[in-house]
Amino acid sequence: MESVLALRGLVLLRDSVEWEGRSLLKALIKKAALGGEQVHILGCEVSEEEFRAGFDSSINSRLVYYDLFRDPLNWAQTGEALPGGPLGALQAMCERTDPGPVTVALDSLSWLLLRLPCAALCQALCAMSRQHACRGGGPAAGQLCVLGLLHRELHGPGPMGALSSLAQTEVTLSGTAGQASAHILCRRPRQRPTLETLWFSVLPDLSLDLQGGPPLESQPHPDPHTPQVDPASHLTFNLHLSKREREAKDSLTLPFQFSSEKQQALLRPGPGPATSRIFYEPDAFDDLDPEDPDGDLDV
Amino acid sequence: MAAVATCGTGAGSTGSVVAAGSKNNVTSFQRRGPRASGSDSSYSRLVSIAGTRPSVRNGQLLVSTGLPALDQLLGGGLAVGTVLLIEEDKYNIYSSLLFKYFLAEGIINGHTLLVASAKEDPADILQELPAPLLDDNVKKDFDEDACNHKTAESNIKMKIAWRYQLLPKMEQAGPVSSSRFGHYYDASKKMPQELIEASKWHGFFFPEKSSSTLNIEPCSLTHGYIKLLQFIQNIIYEEGFDGSNPQKKQKNILRIGIQNLGSPLWGDDICCMENGNSHSLTKFLYVLRGLLRNSLSACMITMPTHLIQNKAIISRVTNLSDTVVGLESFIGSERETNPLYKDYHGLIHIRQIPRLNNLIYDVSDVKDLAFKLKRKLFTIEWVQDNYLRQERNIYPPGFSYLLKQKDSAWGEGSLQHSTFLMSFLAKETAFASRLVRHSEPLEQTGSGRALQAAGPRLWRDGRRQEAPGLLVTPP
């Protein structure tokens, strides 16, 4: 379970109105900060004070905060705003990171997605990890972790799908009966993606409390998969032969196997049409010309 | 396809003949089978390029896609000058594998490669290519694969009905020799470094090449596509793949591989928005096709069509490409639990095959194809093969079987719609145009052949041929 939380690359935290993800984001930030990584935060949706609430002072001093909430369009014209708007802010964050394990938290990615063209945002996100890898010199996958908070209801399937295809890990928050759950989909480069479900809760001091399984009181859908499909169930023919039938079938000769009996039967003048007679009764649809029974005279 | 000026082939040759037939300017009067001629022989109409062969149907020059099974489905291979579009599966596992097979085939054959990607560095892509399977050490791998497969069925006697023999057999993997058209690759090993270094390749990594963020007006190509097209055009021109600079040395094929075309990383928002810049991708494909038709090159593009929101664009893209193959993996879908598909990893759909200098399609009859990535090999099989192995001994030939697929009329059905049975209709089933009633009901004792034919209106009489326990009155 802990290995799943060793998140690298682009991690999407998809929350919704019922199950908010900012507390999980903060819990992951705290975990990263306690682990000795550098943490950079781009704050867009909530103010800095509100975001920093809940962290204790040691962690707060380690967080590098870029504030886009107070003055996103830089109307106050103070010198401290990051140039270039949100994209420029992402670029600047990337440049200011030192080599080594870094966690970048984007609060929130939805805010950026609503204001920037999606393609540009995707390119910027990929560029971040790549440039960090170039600078750091270590393996690209192990160094940078970008946590992006994404609100599911705000976006259509297009941007969500595009970001999902870029992300290495997708954490979808949902839950039942007061217990939050995270469905974690890990895409590793050349392996099958793995899906895991964790039940967790975030304690007031922003540490993560993982529970092993779902809560005892309710189990709404234990098996999301449909029951096993039996293709032979709705057929008009019988797939299961009895012993007698199987024997009868086995004793058949194939009609086009030219065996010696067949050859003899063909060579021998047959008994003629005595065994089978054909009765023909024309019905309303038959248009039979008695002089031209085959209907192929071009008259 | 490419009208190429002959470059100094022998003066004494019947020049006009050779000029007309050089390289792949194929007419229907081509001599089949290229003469292996290094330089100028007066009778060589097709200069033989390594790794190519003419199609047996119309002499079109073909290259291998890297998967012999896929070559067989596409009618022998990928035609030079055309585009093979792979619609990616949802997690882009198998399509990237096909992409790598394509590039690996180019390296083995000595073709020049052009790798374009917006996500991964082409140098990294080339490091991950699968290793080719060679003759000596591969035979026992195939044998042990085949053994595992056959032990379960050794006790089932197989009776083959005639029609089943007509169905195309998927090419089984076999040991490969280096002069073969298509090669087999071991997906678990990487291609040796010296082969990669010995090959000639050009890489286009979009984030490095994009210098400015221009403001492009709508309905035109996005910046990334313009750059890519210019790059391809430069390579084709400089290296002489279109015959502009006469190649003194042996002619070669340029294999172009473009990965994840249409994804947002190329700057195209076709995957993000429904009504984005919807003409950029289609224009790109149009221009690319023009570039390819005039040069000795073949292109494979992988595209995440599952992300494209506007379905009309997918159909336009399909029309603008020549060959379109779709991959659908079972990961995470409900088909994973279907026992029909339990041995496979996904379905492969051949969506379009080009009509090149032809009036008819060259489509294979087999529709339900599934692929499976074993530890080493990527195989494509007819889905029914799996089930038929169990079902083959249920339907004895010599009887006719009237099928009714749900909600369709009584009749023979089509290969596409029936899951099990179509191959088992016996030859004696005749569709007489007149109503035929038999003198007495046939007694199915299991011996002898069917002497009478079943007419199409037999069912209306309420009398049905009763094969022993095999036709059940439909509910």
Side-chain angles (χ1 to χ4, degrees):
Chain A
M1 213 187 299
E2 285 302 319
S3 64
V4 175
L5 289 182
L7 305 163
R8 290 290 113 191
L10 175 63
V11 179
L12 295 181
L13 298 176
R14 301 170 8 145
D15 66 350
S16 63
V17 168
E18 294 99 22
W19 302 99
E20 61 94 23
R22 188 163 286 117
S23 48
L24 178 62
L25 178 69
K26 287 169 138 182
L28 291 173
I29 289 175
K30 177 176 173 184
K31 188 159 153 304
L34 287 178
E37 303 179 5
Q38 316 166 44
V39 182
H40 297 253
I41 303 175
L42 183 70
C44 319
E45 268 185 2
V46 293
S47 64
E48 184 171 351
E49 297 84 27
E50 190 182 332
F51 194 85
R52 285 189 186 260
F55 291 118
D56 50 356
S57 55
S58 61
I59 297 182
N60 257 326
S61 55
R62 305 183 55 168
L63 302 180
V64 182
Y65 197 90
Y66 302 84
D67 190 8
L68 270 185
F69 175 76
R70 183 184 305 277
D71 191 5
L73 297 175
N74 198 15
W75 284 342
Q77 301 279 334
T78 58
E80 62 194 38
L82 296 164
L87 261 187
L90 279 179
Q91 194 84 10
M93 278 172 83
C94 190
E95 283 160 13
R96 288 183 200 179
T97 57
D98 305 320
V102 174
T103 298
V104 172
L106 302 175
D107 178 20
S108 63
L109 202 50
S110 282
W111 191 95
L112 292 172
L113 199 54
L114 290 173
R115 283 156 184 80
L116 296 173
C118 181
L121 182 62
C122 294
Q123 286 173 320
L125 288 174
C126 276
M128 279 176 81
S129 53
R130 204 173 35 248
Q131 284 170 11
H132 185 80
C134 291
R135 208 172 319 122
Q143 295 293 329
L144 178 68
C145 173
V146 179
L147 298 168
L149 187 62
L150 202 58
H151 306 301
R152 283 208 294 270
E153 286 110 352
L154 286 182
H155 307 288
M160 296 288 277
L163 282 177
S164 301
S165 66
L166 288 183
Q168 271 76 47
T169 313
E170 257 181 72
V171 181
T172 306
L173 295 176
S174 62
T176 57
Q179 184 69 35
S181 72
H183 301 280
I184 304 176
L185 178 73
C186 266
R187 295 178 190 224
R188 272 171 281 251
R190 268 157 287 282
Q191 300 166 24
R192 291 169 61 99
T194 55
L195 182 61
E196 201 179 320
T197 304
L198 290 182
W199 298 80
F200 70 98
S201 59
V202 181
L203 303 174
D205 66 343
L206 293 179
S207 55
L208 209 53
D209 179 27
L210 294 166
Q211 274 110 38
L216 298 163
E217 50 268 19
S218 63
Q219 267 297 344
H221 52 97
D223 189 5
H225 291 299
T226 54
Q228 262 226 342
V229 173
D230 183 22
S233 47
H234 296 293
L235 298 172
T236 56
F237 34 79
N238 181 14
L239 280 185
H240 307 286
L241 293 175
S242 72
K243 193 159 179 301
R244 188 187 66 83
E245 293 160 354
R246 199 176 287 276
E247 282 167 8
K249 188 219 68 140
D250 279 338
S251 59
L252 257 194
T253 59
L254 295 177
F256 27 85
Q257 265 175 2
F258 202 59
S259 59
S260 63
E261 301 87 40
K262 201 162 157 173
Q263 192 177 20
Q264 293 306 317
L266 285 174
L267 288 177
R268 220 178 308 120
T275 53
S276 65
R277 296 163 62 193
I278 295 179
F279 296 92
Y280 170 59
E281 287 173 54
D283 67 353
F285 300 108
D286 257 339
D287 180 18
L288 186 63
D289 183 4
E291 292 170 12
D292 176 22
D294 292 327
D296 52 6
L297 287 183
D298 186 21
V299 177
Chain B
M1 267 213 188
V4 172
T6 51
C7 40
T9 51
S13 63
T14 49
S16 59
V17 164
V18 181
S22 71
K23 207 159 37 80
N24 57 350
N25 193 8
V26 180
T27 71
S28 58
F29 303 108
Q30 266 325 325
R31 184 173 302 159
R32 297 279 158 81
R35 297 287 170 84
S37 65
S39 57
D40 35 340
S41 139
S42 49
Y43 288 112
S44 74
R45 291 168 177 255
L46 282 178
V47 177
S48 73
I49 311 174
T52 66
R53 72 169 177 199
S55 155
V56 296
R57 285 168 180 82
N58 57 356
Q60 181 75 46
L61 199 65
L62 301 175
V63 293
S64 169
T65 53
L67 268 183
L70 189 61
D71 285 342
Q72 189 186 9
L73 290 171
L74 299 182
L78 179 63
V80 170
T82 61
V83 170
L84 169 62
L85 179 77
I86 307 265
E87 298 184 352
E88 290 176 7
D89 52 310
K90 193 158 175 237
Y91 298 105
N92 197 13
I93 305 174
Y94 303 108
S95 46
S96 61
L97 193 62
L98 287 188
F99 189 73
K100 291 188 181 113
Y101 280 139
F102 183 73
L103 298 177
E105 183 74 22
I107 290 189
I108 297 291
N109 287 324
H111 298 159
T112 308
L113 299 183
L114 195 161
V115 187
S117 171
K119 203 185 215 183
E120 292 175 61
D121 199 350
D124 295 335
I125 298 178
L126 285 180
Q127 295 301 319
E128 303 272 332
L129 294 183
L133 282 172
L134 302 167
D135 273 338
D136 35 1
N137 53 358
V138 90
K139 200 161 183 356
K140 56 177 181 311
D141 288 332
F142 281 118
D143 286 340
E144 72 188 37
D145 268 348
C147 280
N148 296 342
H149 203 51
K150 291 242 184 342
T151 44
E153 313 169 355
S154 53
N155 48 356
I156 300 178
K157 269 192 346 183
M158 219 163 66
K159 285 185 158 185
I160 300 186
W162 68 278
R163 191 120 157 214
Y164 181 64
Q165 284 167 337
L166 279 190
L167 289 169
K169 288 194 177 42
M170 301 308 303
E171 185 167 321
Q172 302 302 321
V176 67
S177 64
S178 54
S179 61
R180 253 175 80 116
F181 180 61
H183 298 88
Y184 291 95
Y185 296 94
D186 184 352
S188 57
K189 297 201 190 92
K190 301 242 186 320
M191 181 165 286
Q193 194 65 20
E194 53 269 8
L195 279 179
I196 302 178
E197 282 162 13
S199 67
K200 191 154 190 296
W201 62 276
H202 306 273
F204 180 91
F205 188 37
F206 176 52
E208 284 171 6
K209 308 262 175 165
S210 73
S211 47
S212 60
T213 49
L214 321 165
N215 209 359
I216 315 273
E217 67 269 14
C219 288
S220 80
L221 290 167
T222 54
H223 182 60
Y225 296 157
I226 295 180
K227 288 271 178 189
L228 179 58
L229 285 172
Q230 286 168 349
F231 184 75
I232 295 176
Q233 191 179 28
N234 283 341
I235 298 287
I236 290 179
Y237 180 72
E238 283 161 18
E239 310 238 341
F241 289 106
D242 57 353
S244 50
N245 299 336
Q247 283 179 311
K248 298 295 185 288
K249 52 190 187 309
Q250 185 77 1
K251 291 190 172 38
N252 206 352
I253 302 271
L254 174 69
R255 281 192 187 227
I256 305 176
I258 307 179
Q259 210 181 27
N260 293 126
L261 193 68
S263 82
L265 295 176
W266 285 98
D268 193 4
D269 54 359
I270 210 170
C271 290
C272 315
M273 296 164 46
E274 274 225 16
N275 45 2
N277 190 359
S278 57
H279 295 284
S280 180
L281 184 61
T282 45
K283 269 194 186 174
F284 173 83
L285 288 174
Y286 187 73
V287 176
L288 178 70
R289 195 168 67 172
L291 281 177
L292 291 180
R293 293 285 199 266
N294 281 328
S295 61
L296 268 184
S297 45
C299 181
M300 175 187 273
I301 303 180
T302 67
M303 187 180 291
T305 48
H306 56 96
L307 292 180
I308 294 181
Q309 300 301 308
N310 190 355
K311 301 303 170 194
I313 295 180
I314 299 181
S315 58
R316 275 180 224 152
V317 161
T318 304
N319 285 338
L320 283 169
S321 320
D322 298 300
T323 316
V324 181
V325 171
L327 292 176
E328 177 193 338
S329 78
F330 293 149
I331 302 173
S333 82
E334 68 273 7
R335 296 204 214 213
E336 236 173 342
T337 51
N338 194 335
L340 190 61
Y341 297 131
K342 70 173 158 50
D343 285 336
Y344 301 106
H345 291 139
L347 295 178
I348 185 165
H349 306 281
I350 311 282
R351 303 218 196 265
Q352 177 172 277
I353 293 192
R355 282 184 291 192
L356 298 167
N357 308 321
N358 247 351
L359 286 177
I360 56 169
Y361 285 104
D362 196 16
V363 184
S364 77
D365 288 329
V366 184
K367 301 280 186 207
D368 303 317
L369 296 160
F371 63 85
K372 172 170 31 174
L373 178 62
K374 296 193 255 206
R375 188 175 55 95
K376 287 187 172 183
L377 292 174
F378 186 96
T379 52
I380 302 180
E381 280 178 13
W382 186 41
V383 169
Q384 269 83 308
D385 263 344
N386 201 15
Y387 231 88
L388 267 176
R389 285 184 206 116
Q390 308 160 32
E391 302 305 330
R392 253 175 237 149
N393 38 345
I394 292 192
Y395 292 97
F399 301 104
S400 63
Y401 300 102
L402 291 180
L403 295 183
K404 184 174 194 305
Q405 195 70 13
K406 223 166 44 154
D407 303 331
S408 75
W410 281 98
E412 233 188 53
S414 71
L415 198 60
Q416 196 167 357
H417 294 296
S418 76
T419 33
F420 312 108
L421 303 188
M422 292 326 303
S423 51
F424 289 92
L425 286 183
K427 197 166 179 82
E428 264 80 4
T429 307
F431 286 94
S433 57
R434 295 176 176 78
L435 178 65
V436 171
R437 202 196 324 162
H438 303 284
S439 56
E440 60 199 88
L442 260 188
E443 188 186 294
Q444 302 293 344
T445 55
S447 64
R449 36 199 279 263
L451 292 176
Q452 282 96 19
R457 294 202 190 102
L458 194 61
W459 64 272
R460 229 202 254 174
D461 278 340
R463 297 162 65 199
R464 216 163 281 151
Q465 266 191 353
E466 289 288 330
L470 292 168
L471 270 189
V472 170
T473 319

